[in-house]
Amino acid sequence: MTPGTALSLARPVRDRAARVPAFANGAAGEAPGDSEDEAAGLLAALGGAAVLLGADLGVDLLTEAAARLLGVAAHPTGAGEKLKDLLDRSHLGPAARQALGSLARLDGKGSACLRSGAGAKILARRVALPHRRTALLLTPDRPPPEAPLGQHADPLTGLADRAGFIAAVTARLGQTPAEGGGAFGVLVLDLDRFHVVNDTLGPAIGDQVLIAVAARLRAALRAGDLPARLNGDEFAVLIHAGTGVAELEALARRLMDTLGRPYLPDGQPVSLSLSVGIARAPEDGTAADTLLRRAAIALHAAKAAGRARLAAFTPEMQARSETRRQMETDLRRAFALRQFELHYQPQVELPDNRLFGFEALLRWRHPARGFIPPDQFVPVAEEVGLIAPIGAWVLAAACAEATRWPAPLTVAVNVSGLQFEQGDLLGAVASALDRTGLAPERLEIEITESALLVNPEATLGILHQLRERGVRIAMDDFGTGYSSLTRLQSFPFDRIKIDRSFVSGRRGLAEGRAIVRAIAGLGASLGMRTIAEGVETEEQLASVRAEGCTEVQGYLFGRPAAVCDLPAVIAGFGRRAAQVTEIPV
Ligand code: C2E
Ligand code: MG
Ligand code: MG
């Protein structure tokens, strides 16, 4: 560190860089040397907020950081100004002024803890210098209050905006330890599903909620921590102290609790949860945008784990996020280049093993990686907003393909829960049917339990409209979600697809059988067909049949096949139907 550049002094210091290290390495009070320049060099080497006093307690030097802390103008002190006069024009209260005065008059080393006028804590240390001179080193417990935000205030909430936040983080990164620098935390907070508030209650109510969120955020933070609104429903906080992972997580949890309590805009209760991502300086980054990005990556991980969660950044998250970004780019290109295709898996009716239709299963023919299964890319497509256009393409392609099959063979199409929210699913279905001329009864939409949980009322409304059009509806992967069997009563599904984990014995043979039996029984009493997924062996076929399933799908009857193979598959069923042997259970 070089005097004069490391910090600017209110009074110029001559460059004595060569002699500074000797001082800086020794205990300050025992420092050799006697010139004023050496003492000034010492202060500069220590950096930060300091007042250098002569033998008569006259102020010889006042650093800019000290001037800021004491709330005095940073212009040079008048020659010979007494400490008492300096303190009198500071914003310290009487008790703090007295404590600092007494500290200065002490013999030897000492320290005192004061409160500045703005309420911030200041630790003052006295260091004895040669020739009865004294240095008072001031360390803020947190940095001095933020300057007014000015043009960096978010007009809606009055918090800092993104630019203001980045400027504050950058400034904080530039502070030395003596100025209150060092480790700090950045939290990024996102209100879960806030758009639903805007969509259902209107943007004016949405704004009221955001203002209330900002007020709660401000009230929940300690003085010196800086809250900001980055955009929309995304907030951030710069945390000055208590920056261990555990402490930041505890703080995040507290914020989730406070901000997650119901709001009452215009007297209407609105409940929101929030997710939080945490990054720490300097571990996670030494530039403001890196820290913000990493906190956002952690936020993303928290949301992916199921909202209303928090996560602290880890390098693995970075790697995952990069893979995902790459996947996103590839997916967009794949969609443009038509690298998607559908394979079709036979669905068979019991007891006579008659083919009644196919399920369309999406495949991505990647030029380098070969076929990529949907489990690996559908979640990314959902995240990046590509699932609606991809889903619309799937519907159109499946309906077009089904018109080439002998009637009344049906085609089942999987739709993501997000297509109910983001895309115009009704429009996509209508256009697929209209353009291909496929009879609506030959199209079945498969929806998973978890998709039904997201926004049940809106989703059920759309399902009812699809039904009115004549389209069939199946509940996919039944038994794996959170919903109970009573969920089935909320909608008259045509078909329940029993998840293959119950069929394969992965969940225990006896338990699997019992569940298959329960679901098949329920389906029978509700007038719904039950299809067992993932039937691979004759034993499994015999078992699900004995438990009452009306239909099966699985490798035993056929793997998902490319379009060009379907005529042979269909013909094979015609020949084979009567030949499949039945094993007694
Ligand atoms: P799903 O709808 O439950 O589809 C059945 C999955 O089980 C398919 O996997 C199928 O290949 C596999 N499968 C069928 N029979 C057997 C069997 O006997 N043994 C085993 N081990 N597996 C069997 P796939 O094609 O990888 O699809 C996985 C999931 O991806 C699907 O599960 C569905 O949820 C989703 N998906 C597929 N296509 C689409 C689509 O077009 N749109 C959307 N949103 N999701 C899709
Ligand atoms: Mg399915
Ligand atoms: Mg399934």
Side-chain angles (χ1 to χ4, degrees):
M1 195 187 299
T2 313
T5 55
L7 81 172
S8 51
L9 293 167
R11 193 188 283 180
V13 176
R14 267 177 280 141
D15 187 2
R16 302 293 302 224
R19 299 172 69 177
V20 168
F23 277 102
N25 292 339
E30 299 140 21
D34 54 9
S35 76
E36 184 187 86
D37 286 350
E38 278 165 344
L42 167 66
L43 284 186
L46 291 172
V51 186
L52 184 63
L53 302 168
D56 55 354
L57 295 189
V59 179
D60 282 342
L61 275 168
L62 172 69
T63 66
E64 267 183 359
R68 260 202 320 271
L69 263 185
L70 297 174
V72 295
H75 60 71
T77 55
E81 182 180 27
K82 294 287 185 230
L83 175 65
K84 182 176 175 312
D85 298 325
L86 173 71
L87 294 179
D88 281 346
R89 67 188 177 93
S90 78
H91 66 188
L92 296 183
R97 290 204 294 260
Q98 198 183 357
L100 208 53
S102 309
L103 182 67
R105 284 191 296 275
L106 269 184
D107 256 346
K109 294 180 186 173
S111 64
C113 194
L114 335 158
R115 276 203 182 273
S116 80
K121 259 201 280 176
I122 300 174
L123 180 69
R125 281 178 299 138
R126 177 183 193 276
V127 176
L129 299 174
H131 298 289
R132 296 176 52 229
R133 292 152 59 80
T134 304
L136 296 177
L137 308 178
L138 309 175
T139 318
D141 203 23
R142 60 183 75 96
E146 299 299 329
L149 293 167
Q151 60 182 15
H152 287 320
D154 165 46
L156 181 68
T157 61
L159 300 182
D161 64 9
R162 177 181 282 274
F165 190 73
I166 287 183
V169 173
T170 305
R172 176 61 207 253
L173 284 162
Q175 280 174 340
T176 64
E179 287 173 315
F184 67 97
V186 169
L187 307 188
V188 175
L189 295 73
D190 189 89
L191 304 176
D192 296 327
R193 306 178 46 70
F194 178 74
H195 67 97
V196 175
V197 176
N198 266 344
D199 292 349
T200 54
L201 302 175
I205 297 281
D207 282 357
Q208 280 188 40
V209 172
L210 290 174
I211 291 167
V213 168
R216 282 192 204 173
L217 186 57
R218 229 187 243 117
L221 295 174
R222 290 163 297 197
D225 292 342
L226 178 76
R229 177 170 171 244
L230 300 180
N231 56 45
D233 59 349
E234 200 172 80
F235 293 80
V237 187
L238 169 56
I239 304 292
H240 284 292
T243 53
V245 172
E247 288 160 297
L248 288 171
E249 286 181 351
L251 172 65
R253 229 166 264 125
R254 200 156 50 77
L255 292 178
M256 287 163 76
D257 179 46
T258 314
L259 273 63
R261 301 209 181 113
Y263 297 84
L264 271 179
D266 265 6
Q268 314 188 47
V270 171
S271 293
L272 285 171
S273 62
L274 61 149
S275 305
V276 184
I278 302 171
R280 299 185 311 143
E283 293 88 333
D284 299 335
T286 50
D289 60 343
T290 311
L291 284 167
L292 255 184
R293 201 171 53 244
R294 295 190 162 174
I297 288 174
L299 171 71
H300 198 88
K303 288 215 165 216
R307 302 171 206 263
R309 285 172 200 243
L310 62 91
F313 176 80
T314 62
E316 299 78 65
M317 284 180 191
Q318 174 86 29
R320 269 205 303 278
S321 140
E322 271 155 25
T323 313
R324 214 185 52 86
R325 229 192 358 261
Q326 184 60 47
M327 168 86 91
E328 176 182 346
T329 314
D330 288 357
L331 260 184
R332 290 191 191 283
R333 189 178 310 130
F335 189 57
L337 296 178
R338 302 176 190 276
Q339 287 173 355
F340 293 116
E341 59 188 73
L342 293 175
H343 285 195
Y344 295 86
Q345 185 175 35
Q347 297 183 308
V348 171
E349 193 177 54
L350 299 176
D352 48 3
N353 306 328
R354 189 180 56 84
L355 175 74
F356 71 87
F358 290 93
E359 177 176 5
L361 292 159
L362 186 58
R363 301 286 181 263
W364 173 6
R365 193 193 282 275
H366 193 283
R369 292 163 56 193
F371 276 123
I372 303 182
D375 294 338
Q376 285 183 26
F377 67 87
V378 166
V380 181
E382 289 178 334
E383 260 174 55
V384 304
L386 266 177
I387 195 63
I390 292 178
W393 174 84
V394 169
L395 275 163
C399 288
E401 175 57 28
T403 57
R404 291 177 205 119
W405 308 335
L409 287 185
T410 56
V411 65
V413 172
N414 294 282
V415 298
S416 142
L418 283 185
Q419 284 173 262
F420 287 83
E421 281 188 60
Q422 293 174 358
D424 173 16
L425 182 62
L426 282 173
V429 169
S431 120
L433 291 173
D434 293 345
R435 272 200 277 150
T436 59
L438 185 74
E441 309 72 55
R442 294 181 62 195
L443 173 63
E444 181 163 281
I445 297 295
E446 293 193 5
I447 173 172
T448 59
E449 263 185 290
S450 47
L452 248 184
L453 285 179
V454 176
N455 189 357
E457 273 130 69
T459 305
L460 288 177
I462 294 175
L463 290 182
H464 276 290
Q465 292 186 61
L466 287 170
R467 276 293 284 276
E468 276 160 30
R469 168 114 205 197
V471 173
R472 307 248 161 95
I473 312 290
M475 170 161 277
D476 203 356
D477 301 346
F478 189 73
T480 57
Y482 301 104
S483 63
S484 64
L485 299 179
T486 56
R487 171 74 57 191
L488 286 176
Q489 287 170 319
S490 65
F491 187 82
F493 291 95
D494 296 279
R495 183 170 277 121
I496 307 169
K497 303 195 72 176
I498 303 173
D499 191 70
R500 75 165 183 268
S501 56
F502 303 114
V503 176
S504 65
R506 184 147 56 84
R507 295 173 187 242
L509 273 179
E511 191 191 329
R513 270 191 90 133
I515 290 173
V516 171
R517 189 182 315 139
I519 300 176
L522 194 77
S525 64
L526 292 171
M528 302 174 187
R529 293 164 189 280
T530 44
I531 182 164
E533 295 189 83
V535 172
E536 296 183 1
T537 64
E538 296 282 358
E539 286 77 10
Q540 287 167 354
L541 172 65
S543 162
V544 298
R545 200 177 146 179
E547 300 307 347
C549 288
T550 56
E551 297 157 352
V552 291
Q553 177 180 345
Y555 293 170
L556 179 65
F557 286 101
R559 291 182 178 251
V563 165
C564 56
D565 296 329
L566 291 186
V569 173
I570 294 171
F573 265 96
R575 284 195 303 276
R576 212 175 62 190
Q579 297 169 11
V580 176
T581 49
E582 280 177 31
I583 298 181
V585 226

